[in-house]
Amino acid sequence: MGSGEDRTLAGWTLPETKTDATARFDQFVTENRFTIAVVFPLVGAVTLLASAEGVLPDPLAFNPYFVLFGTFVMRLPLVAGVFPLVDRRAGLALIALTLYSYGIELVGVRTGWPYGEFTYGVDLGPMLLGEVPFGLPVFFFPLVLNAYLLVLLLLGSRAASTAVRLLATLSTVMLIDLVLDPGAVAIGFWTYAVPQFYGVPWQNYAGWLLSGSVAVLLFDLGFDREGLRQRLEACPFMLDDLVSFVLLWGGINLFYANWVPVGIAALLGAGLLWTDRFDFDLSETRVGRAVWR
């Protein structure tokens, strides 16, 4: 990596510093913001519904690699937002949470504790030990981190209280799962043995209180809160992944008339509106420049 040629890969010049990498990452997300945060979740909702309703044929129906790719793309704003803040302490917290999430999911699949007995109905990609989706952190981590960031924005100075911050974040995580699980059950991602709330047992939410508490605590211990707050102020797209979540899972629940989850999705959307996180400046995106040039 000593020469300019060594820092060039497939025609791209590799960033020399973390600051340079952050700037390029931010620029890419900003230029593709509307596509990532709006187009991808809307296309995702349509294809998932078409798969669930038997309209989309194999191998497109519930194609696990399409699902993983779409999910990963929608996570890019959040990844770009936290990228410059991942230091050794945050990295250790993420490793610990990864191990915990795999472990608790494996216990859940094998024993039914703490989420209730359930089975996967759709292939979600490569499976760890043949039982747990390898991409689980991609699905799980952002739900908690989005909740944490939204709470920092909504509470402002009140988030300085550890008890208030953690309880508010955990409550938001629960709201997110009250949208996610009913929608996932409706399209057949997984099935519970004891269906209660839109096909989801109440035990599942007790399980989320446990796993959510651990995740929230690890994020709180691992990341610099003031750094996150400053990054949120400087990075308008940092919560776009939550925008995608509201559009995707709110839309799926709306299709199946799951009115309580739809109402909760609307509440999360209202929180995003309150923080101006639905305020897209399309002129900065590739789509906007193509339309208005």
Side-chain angles (χ1 to χ4, degrees):
M1 298 294 287
S3 68
E5 291 183 359
D6 292 335
R7 291 192 293 271
T8 301
L9 182 65
W12 292 85
T13 302
L14 299 177
E16 299 183 22
T17 65
K18 191 173 184 178
T19 300
D20 187 22
T22 298
R24 294 194 193 187
F25 205 170
D26 286 359
Q27 180 182 4
F28 174 81
V29 173
T30 298
E31 290 181 344
N32 296 279
R33 189 178 179 192
F34 184 79
T35 300
I36 294 171
V38 178
V39 175
F40 261 81
L42 292 180
V43 171
V46 170
T47 54
L48 288 176
L49 289 171
S51 299
E53 295 300 308
V55 176
L56 203 62
D58 291 332
L60 298 177
F62 288 128
N63 186 293
Y65 299 101
F66 286 174
V67 172
L68 282 173
F69 175 72
T71 302
F72 177 76
V73 169
M74 288 185 287
R75 301 305 191 230
L76 287 178
L78 183 63
V79 174
V82 301
F83 172 72
L85 303 175
V86 178
D87 54 14
R88 183 177 181 180
R89 187 178 69 175
L92 290 174
L94 290 173
I95 291 172
L97 186 52
T98 298
L99 295 175
Y100 172 78
S101 61
Y102 282 139
I104 196 71
E105 189 77 2
L106 186 62
V107 170
V109 169
R110 291 182 176 181
T111 70
W113 183 89
Y115 306 111
E117 293 185 20
F118 71 96
T119 55
Y120 289 105
V122 170
D123 184 1
L124 294 178
M127 302 292 280
L128 184 66
L129 302 178
E131 297 176 275
V132 176
F134 190 76
L136 182 64
V138 178
F139 297 123
F140 176 59
F141 288 8
L143 303 180
V144 180
L145 191 50
N146 280 326
Y148 189 87
L149 296 176
L150 183 62
V151 164
L152 289 184
L153 283 175
L154 290 175
L155 293 186
S157 61
R158 287 170 293 178
S161 167
T162 300
V164 171
R165 181 175 67 253
L166 297 185
L167 287 174
T169 301
L170 182 57
S171 298
T172 306
V173 169
M174 297 304 298
L175 290 177
I176 288 174
D177 189 51
L178 284 165
V179 176
L180 171 63
D181 255 304
V185 167
I187 60 175
F189 266 17
W190 45 77
T191 304
Y192 290 95
V194 182
Q196 291 173 321
F197 176 77
Y198 295 101
V200 183
W202 293 113
Q203 181 182 343
N204 171 73
Y205 299 108
W208 267 77
L209 281 174
L210 171 63
S211 57
S213 296
V214 173
V216 169
L217 183 60
L218 284 173
F219 276 126
D220 194 62
L221 292 173
F223 283 89
D224 173 24
R225 188 172 71 258
E226 186 56 34
L228 283 174
R229 187 187 301 280
Q230 292 175 4
R231 183 66 172 149
L232 274 167
E233 293 175 355
C235 189
F237 59 70
M238 198 166 173
L239 269 173
D240 280 6
D241 182 43
L242 188 54
V243 174
S244 298
F245 176 88
V246 169
L247 294 174
L248 174 63
W249 292 106
I252 288 173
N253 279 296
L254 180 62
F255 181 85
Y256 289 107
N258 294 344
W259 298 118
V260 174
V262 168
I264 296 173
L267 181 64
L268 292 170
L272 289 165
L273 283 171
W274 184 266
T275 61
D276 291 330
R277 294 296 154 150
F278 264 119
D279 183 17
F280 289 91
D281 183 358
L282 293 181
S283 65
E284 295 182 359
T285 67
R286 293 183 184 273
V287 174
R289 289 202 297 268
V291 172
W292 288 301
R293 65 183 177 184

